[in-house]
Amino acid sequence: MENKKKRQKTEQEMLFTLTAMCASAEHCSYEMRTYMNKWEMPEEVQERILSYLIKEQYIDDERYCRSFVKDKIRYNKWGERKISQALYMKQIPQELRRKVLADVDDNDYLSVLRPLLKNKGKTIKTDNRYERNGKLIRFALSRGFTMNLIRQCVDDEGFEDLDNEDEEL
């Protein structure tokens, strides 16, 4: 077998590939840089392409950040801390992360956290309310929710009577 060398893409081909990616889904500048580094593009070419993508609004880190936050709350059921960490890993600037996360209403998190804790509460086998609440708190913390929101849910009147709901059925 003949050892074929991989053909290097031209700048135009790479630009076309990246614009197509950005047109089909939200991406941040860090992701675009990662792709370009993977393809071993020269630094000056990366800068030209990234400038074009930003100028033509194919990528916008704030728009990406807002979309990312909304999706992670709704679909992944993550809390603020876990989302912030994921955005940090995407190299989204701290000011932007703070700004976007500050715009999220606590009720958005609570509407996700309450059902999560109710479902988790049904699976916990313990007679001790203190132990049960400890397990629920650890679970919610692992999902990235703040202690303030977790306490609101755990202290809710309707939430405390979860064990009694099963007995009535």
Side-chain angles (χ1 to χ4, degrees), residues 1 18 26-27 31 39 44 47 60 77 83 132 139 141-142 144 150 152 161 168:
M1 260 206 281
L18 293 174
E26 284 291 341
H27 292 280
E31 291 173 335
W39 296 332
E44 64 276 359
E47 288 305 316
D60 178 346
K77 300 181 185 343
I83 294 169
R132 181 176 166 274
F139 169 74
L141 286 171
S142 75
I150 296 168
Q152 283 182 44
D161 297 329
E168 293 173 7

Side-chain angles (χ1 to χ4, degrees), residues 28-29 60-66 69 87 91-103:
C28 64
S29 52
D60 178 346
D61 283 347
E62 183 171 351
R63 185 181 66 212
Y64 171 81
C65 193
R66 290 187 186 286
V69 168
L87 290 171
Q91 296 186 1
I92 301 294
Q94 185 175 4
E95 318 82 61
L96 183 55
R97 288 194 317 262
R98 282 187 180 156
K99 176 184 171 192
V100 171
L101 287 169
D103 290 345

Side-chain angles (χ1 to χ4, degrees), residues 56-142:
E56 296 298 320
Q57 297 182 341
Y58 281 100
I59 57 174
D60 178 346
D61 283 347
E62 183 171 351
R63 185 181 66 212
Y64 171 81
C65 193
R66 290 187 186 286
S67 174
F68 186 88
V69 168
K70 187 172 74 173
D71 286 353
K72 293 303 174 188
I73 292 170
R74 183 178 297 149
Y75 301 115
N76 295 56
K77 300 181 185 343
W78 285 3
E80 179 180 354
R81 290 185 175 173
K82 192 164 186 171
I83 294 169
S84 180
Q85 180 65 31
L87 290 171
Y88 171 80
M89 298 302 288
K90 299 268 187 187
Q91 296 186 1
I92 301 294
Q94 185 175 4
E95 318 82 61
L96 183 55
R97 288 194 317 262
R98 282 187 180 156
K99 176 184 171 192
V100 171
L101 287 169
D103 290 345
V104 178
D105 187 34
D106 281 353
N107 290 326
D108 293 341
Y109 292 120
L110 288 170
S111 68
V112 167
L113 181 58
R114 280 192 179 104
L116 262 180
L117 290 178
K118 284 191 186 240
N119 288 336
K120 183 65 176 176
K122 292 175 184 176
T123 67
I124 295 175
K125 305 293 183 221
T126 182
D127 297 329
N128 183 339
R129 177 173 282 161
Y130 178 78
E131 199 175 306
R132 181 176 166 274
N133 285 349
K135 289 181 179 191
L136 289 172
I137 289 169
R138 280 190 297 280
F139 169 74
L141 286 171
S142 75

Side-chain angles (χ1 to χ4, degrees), residues 152-165:
Q152 283 182 44
C153 290
V154 171
D155 292 342
D156 277 351
E157 283 299 315
F159 190 76
E160 289 294 331
D161 297 329
L162 238 179
D163 295 324
N164 300 335
E165 284 179 14

